[in-house]
Amino acid sequence: MRHHFTDSRFGQIHYVEEGTGEPVLLLHQTPRSWDEYRDVLPLLGRRFHAIAMDTPGFGASARPTGEWSVELFAQAVLDLCDALGLDQVALVGHHTGGVIATEVAAAAPDRVRALVLSGMPFVDAPRRHQVATGRPPIDHVERAADGSHLQRLWDNRAAYYPADRPDLLERLVRDALQVLDRVEEGHLAVNRYRMEDRIESVTARTLVLCGELDTFSLPDVPKIVEALPGAICEVLPGTGVPSVDHRPDLFAEAVGRFLLQDGARPRE
């Protein structure tokens, strides 16, 4: 894997790449970084040019000032594509990354050859109202002098992660600490997004992917499939919210199989 930085309108973007061939750009959930795809990159890199970027504000990418939005994140994705000379890419997004990928595909349909939406929530008016009026923050914690906020970061996500894989939660907490003062803002950006108005502009062939234990997003899969005529759906067994890093083998296999069916050329 090779690490790089490139310039964008929002400052430098950090990305990691492996392999050659058709480009596949991987977008992470909040508050993760490229590291979410650490074990997926070498698997996809056997057949594709796999690229995992840090969304602006997260990981090692620059932190934009002002309010963050899905549209801002999508513009950064297109800036990276321009910097790398990628006229068309396959986009793979997990949770927040899926929402960003949807906006990229809606804003620049000619740039997105195929789309994989993994564990993506369907953000419409009822969901925005529900989140605004009743749902507690997902990752937000107040920094405490005794370090107890570290335990709260862990506890906020523990129910969604396998008990026998504490290493996965360690990776999430490490990423969250890099953006602690704005750790919730990716979620807030998602909940402001008017997906119901934008998803109808998506024309790319789409795979809707979700872990069978992802109680957060699995109920929304039928809504997404209905909103994207021709989309196909696959449920990954034995995994949930952290499907990317929990079962990178299943995740990469599903993504690779779909992209090859879509006509992407494997590496010679």
Side-chain angles (χ1 to χ4, degrees):
M1 288 184 283
R2 300 178 298 279
H3 292 249
H4 307 277
F5 286 88
T6 191
D7 292 327
S8 79
R9 72 191 84 177
F10 307 109
Q12 287 196 321
I13 293 175
H14 171 251
Y15 66 97
V16 182
E17 62 179 347
E18 180 155 334
T20 60
E22 294 285 342
V24 181
L25 182 55
L26 307 164
L27 308 177
H28 59 81
Q29 68 166 309
T30 298
R32 294 301 314 274
S33 69
W34 79 272
D35 176 75
E36 184 165 50
Y37 292 100
R38 183 177 70 195
D39 300 315
V40 170
L41 279 168
L43 298 175
L44 286 179
R46 297 171 184 170
R47 295 182 289 182
F48 305 100
H49 178 196
I51 307 162
M53 66 178 284
D54 288 344
T55 302
F58 298 89
S61 287
R63 178 181 293 196
T65 58
E67 184 176 85
W68 296 352
S69 68
V70 170
E71 292 81 2
L72 180 154
F73 297 148
Q75 290 166 1
V77 171
L78 291 170
D79 283 357
L80 177 63
C81 291
D82 289 342
L84 299 183
L86 304 177
D87 295 328
Q88 269 199 334
V89 296
L91 274 184
V92 179
H94 184 59
H95 279 252
T96 300
V99 182
I100 299 167
T102 298
E103 174 58 24
V104 175
D110 57 320
R111 305 291 298 273
V112 180
R113 185 187 57 74
L115 188 62
V116 178
L117 304 175
S118 170
M120 186 180 80
F122 188 79
V123 188
D124 57 5
R127 181 186 179 89
R128 286 191 294 273
H129 176 75
Q130 179 187 22
V131 170
T133 59
R135 195 189 75 186
I138 296 174
D139 291 306
H140 174 74
V141 297
E142 295 291 340
R143 184 179 279 108
D146 62 359
S148 58
H149 60 291
L150 303 179
Q151 182 68 55
R152 288 194 292 274
L153 275 175
W154 184 283
D155 292 343
N156 284 344
R157 289 289 189 126
Y160 298 101
Y161 278 67
D164 62 343
R165 291 293 307 276
D167 57 304
L168 300 180
L169 260 178
E170 287 170 2
R171 288 165 62 181
L172 182 142
V173 170
R174 183 171 63 246
D175 279 340
L177 286 172
Q178 294 188 74
V179 66
L180 186 63
D181 60 324
R182 303 188 71 170
V183 71
E184 193 70 16
E185 290 200 36
H187 302 305
L188 296 176
V190 165
N191 291 324
R192 287 191 297 266
Y193 183 60
R194 298 186 63 86
M195 181 180 287
E196 72 272 39
D197 296 335
R198 298 296 287 156
I199 199 167
E200 62 186 22
S201 298
V202 173
T203 59
R205 184 169 178 267
T206 303
L207 169 65
V208 180
L209 195 62
C210 198
E212 69 170 343
L213 306 179
D214 187 344
T215 57
F216 187 83
S217 295
L218 188 61
D220 284 351
V221 166
K223 298 178 185 178
I224 299 168
V225 173
E226 182 180 1
L228 292 168
I232 62 174
C233 171
E234 183 170 347
V235 175
L236 300 179
T239 190
V241 170
S243 58
V244 175
D245 45 1
H246 179 218
R247 290 304 306 269
D249 54 336
L250 295 181
F251 187 88
E253 180 183 359
V255 170
R257 183 170 60 248
F258 170 73
L259 295 181
L260 291 176
Q261 290 172 352
D262 187 56
R265 295 186 298 272
R267 188 174 66 184
E268 297 293 336

